[in-house]
């Protein structure tokens, strides 16, 4: 079985659980100040999959992600599957660290690349706290190890309940270079943490 297929079957549950404890809200009682959630107007619209994009780039591992509109500028670590078959996550104490699924598509290649990070940790907001405020048309830049930069344009920002996470829509293969950026979101419960995930959908539109 291909690793990507394994990821498709488990990553929805992983991001809903491992990334979504809501440690900061739980320890500070700050439920009144949750992270921003995507507006309905930022969901997919007809024709999004047909927007023009750039040609695939030569494969190279990513080292950094930048999302200027929400002030994200963070290093990337490689993520693998745990012994239980779930996707690992960055150490929660490193709040400005995100990860990418290194056994899958590298950002800029043809296919669906996956980046994930925490929304908060025990001391406050983490790398993707403001991800839900991202809007269509904004850019995401990935610095790659070969010195190039892959530039993606956001197609949609959506939030899904963890129990109904659309694995195929989020993790399914793509004919063009695409990117998913994932953190936790949706309603918050002191007992179980965040109830869902914020997912950014983007496609490659340039490089330098």
């Amino acid at each position: 079985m291909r690793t990507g297929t394994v990821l498709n079957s488990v990553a929805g549950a992983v991001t809903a659980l491992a990334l979504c404890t809501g440690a900061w809200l739980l320890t500070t009682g700050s439920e009144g100040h949750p992270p921003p959630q995507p507006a309905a107007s930022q969901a997919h619209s007809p024709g999004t999959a047909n927007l023009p994009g750039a040609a695939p780039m030569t494969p190279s591992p990513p080292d950094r992600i930048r999302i200027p509109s929400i002030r994200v500028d963070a290093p990337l670590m490689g993520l693998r599957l745990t012994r239980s078959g779930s996707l690992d996550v960055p150490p929660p104490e490193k709040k400005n660290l995100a990860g990418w699924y290194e056994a899958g598509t590298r950002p800029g290649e043809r296919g669906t690349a996956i980046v994930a990070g925490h929304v908060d940790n025990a001391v406050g907001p983490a790398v993707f706290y403001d991800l839900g405020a991202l809007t269509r048309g904004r850019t995401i830049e990935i610095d790659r190890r070969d010195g190039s930069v892959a530039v993606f344009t956001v197609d949609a920002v959506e939030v899904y309940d963890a129990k109904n996470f659309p694995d195929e829509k989020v993790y399914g293969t793509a004919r063009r270079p695409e990117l998913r950026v994932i953190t936790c979101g949706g309603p918050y419960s002191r007992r179980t943490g965040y109830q869902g995930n914020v997912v950014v959908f983007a496609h490659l539109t340039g490089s330098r």
Side-chain angles (χ1 to χ4, degrees):
M1 180 183 294
R2 294 178 57 192
T3 305
T5 304
V6 175
L7 179 61
N8 284 355
S9 67
V10 301
V14 173
T15 53
L17 297 175
L19 293 176
C20 294
T21 58
W24 179 53
L25 300 187
L26 183 63
T27 57
T28 63
S30 300
E31 291 94 330
H33 302 281
Q37 301 300 302
S41 60
Q42 300 308 313
H44 275 99
S45 59
T48 298
N50 298 318
L51 293 173
M57 301 172 69
T58 302
S60 179
D63 285 330
R64 197 167 194 88
I65 181 170
R66 293 193 303 275
I67 312 177
S69 63
I70 58 170
R71 301 173 301 282
V72 169
D73 187 350
L76 288 167
M77 65 172 289
L79 301 177
R80 292 184 175 273
L81 299 180
T82 66
R83 291 182 178 180
S84 64
S86 62
L87 183 66
D88 207 352
V89 293
E93 66 273 12
K94 296 185 177 181
K95 66 178 184 178
N96 195 47
L97 178 64
W100 71 286
Y101 180 55
E102 62 182 354
T105 300
R106 287 161 284 194
E109 283 186 288
R110 188 187 309 277
T112 304
I114 306 297
V115 171
H118 293 281
V119 71
D120 64 17
N121 63 13
V123 298
V127 58
F128 289 148
Y129 188 81
D130 288 321
L131 197 66
L134 197 58
T135 55
R136 289 202 304 258
R138 297 293 189 174
T139 59
I140 300 173
E141 299 183 347
I142 303 289
D143 292 350
R144 305 184 340 142
R145 203 157 300 166
D146 63 2
S148 65
V149 179
V151 181
F152 295 84
T153 297
V154 174
D155 298 320
V157 187
E158 301 187 348
V159 61
Y160 303 111
D161 183 86
K163 295 180 180 178
N164 298 299
F165 193 87
D167 290 336
E168 184 60 32
K169 180 178 180 179
V170 175
Y171 301 112
T173 57
R175 296 180 180 179
R176 61 182 181 175
E178 297 194 4
L179 178 70
R180 306 289 184 265
V181 184
I182 306 169
T183 194
C184 47
Y188 174 79
S189 164
R190 288 183 64 85
R191 183 174 63 86
T192 59
Y194 294 99
Q195 303 300 296
N197 295 95
V198 171
V199 181
V200 174
F201 297 78
H203 72 285
L204 186 72
T205 52
S207 62
R208 61 177 189 271

